[in-house]
Amino acid sequence: MTSVCLRQLQALSAKCPNKVSAGRDASLTESDEGAGTWRTDVRALHGTEPAGWFDVAWITGWAANAPRLPWRNHLPLTGALTSGAMRRGAVSMGWLEALVLGIVQGLTEFLPISSSAHQSIIGQFFGGQDPGSAFTAITQLGTESAVIIFFRKDIWLIIKSWTLALIGKLPRNDPEARLGWLVIIGSIPIVVLGLTFQDAIDHGLRNLWTTAAMLAGFGIIIGVIDRVALNARPLESLTWRHGIFLGLVQSLALIPGVSRSGATIAGGLALGYKRVAAAKYSFLLAIPAVVGSGLFKLADASSDPVPPAWGPIVLATVISFAIGYAVIAWLLRYVSTHTFMPFVIYRCALGALVAILLITGVLSPLPPS
């Protein structure tokens, strides 16, 4: 990233030497994110002062040995945007980091333990930074591909019945056709809220204190609901009101630490549905929202001035698909005869561990992204 910025500085300096020299002093009077702020930062960090705003030789020598500038858009005149090219996860993802995070994504996406929480926590051990919501969303395309393939027969039947009911060749109250409508309608809340609060989701809500609180707090909620649940209703009895309610509950997964599967499964259990039925509907309900979010972030990352690290991203996505497929098969068998208590204990323990690591300074609540 430093080399890209330097090339931009050199190009601008070569094109406009007179304008740069003439405007240099005026630029240094800026007090926001302009040259004045930049000069203050580099003087404090390096101990000396450049000859001017675009003293390229000074910048080149300083950048080779100096620490990074404090996180801010220090190059407002060169087009280096913090929301795009500065996005660390899309630019500097390494192969080992991608391998580990791909495994984590595959293992945690469908278990009620929050994949986004695990991505944020483990990502900090690779350079002390969160891989970001964009990386998480793109790798979720791998795990959702596993859902589509695993439930391909169910999905085909739902799409076929929904289409036939739409053109009047099947009753509109057909269970599979109704399930199709419920998945569509249930996906609306998370899409609307995700777009409305996109900035908070990408930044503020990824605070690890929030994540730790959600891991433990929502884990206790899952445990209580699982203990008192009737575990009786099949998925075929899902009503319009229940489907919409579960769509709203799924929106809680926008907060790292809640867990998409954990939220919808807990909601289904609270309404009296069987564990397997709640888990299956959770997987189906996630498809439109997760695929849509992944494609949106994929297009957003593709438009960055600095090309993302596509190789590691693809590796993580493929790994998450393979592991995610195995996890789906295992979880459906497990919940047919077991409670969610082991996951509740794990969530509470992980939440406590994250809090300890935050207090001791091992982890940062909001590292640079």
Side-chain angles (χ1 to χ4, degrees):
M1 192 64 220
T2 301
S3 62
V4 174
C5 297
L6 291 176
R7 285 198 299 271
Q8 292 179 2
L9 283 169
Q10 291 167 339
L12 185 55
S13 181
K15 287 182 180 179
C16 311
N18 296 331
K19 291 182 180 180
V20 169
S21 177
R24 183 164 55 197
D25 295 335
S27 297
L28 290 173
T29 62
E30 297 178 9
S31 59
D32 50 11
E33 292 190 11
T37 302
W38 176 81
R39 179 190 283 271
T40 300
D41 289 337
V42 297
R43 183 192 296 118
L45 288 170
H46 188 54
T48 62
E49 187 172 325
W53 169 231
F54 286 106
D55 187 347
V56 177
W58 186 95
I59 297 172
T60 304
W62 175 83
N65 300 300
R68 292 184 179 180
L69 293 174
W71 181 254
R72 191 156 57 236
N73 188 7
H74 298 277
L75 303 173
L77 303 182
T78 67
L81 303 178
T82 56
S83 60
M86 293 285 191
R87 210 163 37 203
R88 175 257 175 197
V91 175
S92 61
M93 178 68 64
W95 289 100
L96 177 60
E97 183 176 3
L99 173 65
V100 173
L101 293 178
I103 294 172
V104 170
Q105 172 64 25
L107 287 173
T108 60
E109 173 65 18
F110 304 116
L111 303 180
I113 55 178
S114 181
S115 62
S116 58
H118 284 76
Q119 295 271 18
S120 297
I121 296 165
I122 294 178
Q124 282 209 29
F125 291 98
F126 291 91
Q129 300 186 34
D130 184 342
S133 62
F135 175 81
T136 302
I138 293 172
T139 54
Q140 283 178 336
L141 290 174
T143 45
E144 286 310 303
S145 297
V147 173
I148 293 172
I149 293 177
F150 189 90
F151 291 106
R152 60 190 180 277
K153 293 182 180 179
D154 299 88
I155 294 172
W156 169 247
L157 180 60
I158 291 171
I159 294 175
K160 179 181 176 181
S161 300
W162 179 82
T163 304
L164 292 175
L166 196 65
I167 62 177
K169 292 189 176 181
L170 264 183
R172 292 182 179 266
N173 62 350
D174 178 83
E176 301 299 333
R178 186 177 70 251
L179 186 57
W181 278 114
L182 288 171
V183 169
I184 294 172
I185 296 173
S187 300
I188 294 175
I190 195 171
V191 172
V192 172
L193 292 173
L195 292 174
T196 303
F197 299 103
Q198 181 182 350
D199 186 64
I201 295 166
D202 288 345
H203 304 290
L205 289 178
R206 297 184 76 85
N207 189 307
L208 285 185
W209 280 114
T210 302
T211 299
M214 291 298 101
L215 280 169
F218 205 80
I220 294 173
I221 292 174
I222 293 174
V224 172
I225 291 176
D226 190 35
R227 177 65 66 90
V228 302
L230 296 177
N231 194 34
R233 302 185 64 164
L235 185 58
E236 291 73 21
S237 67
L238 184 67
T239 65
W240 290 98
R241 186 176 62 179
H242 289 174
I244 295 172
F245 170 76
L246 293 176
L248 291 170
V249 170
Q250 181 186 222
S251 302
L252 294 173
L254 293 171
I255 307 173
V258 171
S259 170
R260 187 187 316 276
S261 62
T264 49
I265 289 173
L269 291 175
L271 295 173
Y273 290 90
K274 295 179 180 179
R275 293 189 184 93
V276 174
K280 182 177 178 180
Y281 185 67
S282 171
F283 297 152
L284 296 174
L285 183 61
I287 293 175
V290 174
V291 171
S293 173
L295 293 177
F296 177 80
K297 292 292 187 181
L298 185 63
D300 190 41
S302 300
S303 64
D304 275 354
V306 178
W310 288 119
I313 290 175
V314 171
L315 173 65
T317 304
V318 171
I319 290 175
S320 69
F321 162 79
I323 296 178
Y325 189 93
V327 171
I328 294 172
W330 175 83
L331 182 63
L332 290 175
R333 289 195 304 270
Y334 177 85
V335 299
S336 63
T337 56
H338 298 78
T339 70
F340 288 100
M341 190 53 61
F343 302 113
V344 173
I345 296 173
Y346 174 81
R347 288 178 63 109
C348 292
L350 180 59
L353 176 61
V354 171
I356 293 172
L357 294 177
L358 286 169
I359 293 171
T360 57
V362 176
L363 294 177
S364 300
L366 277 174
S369 56

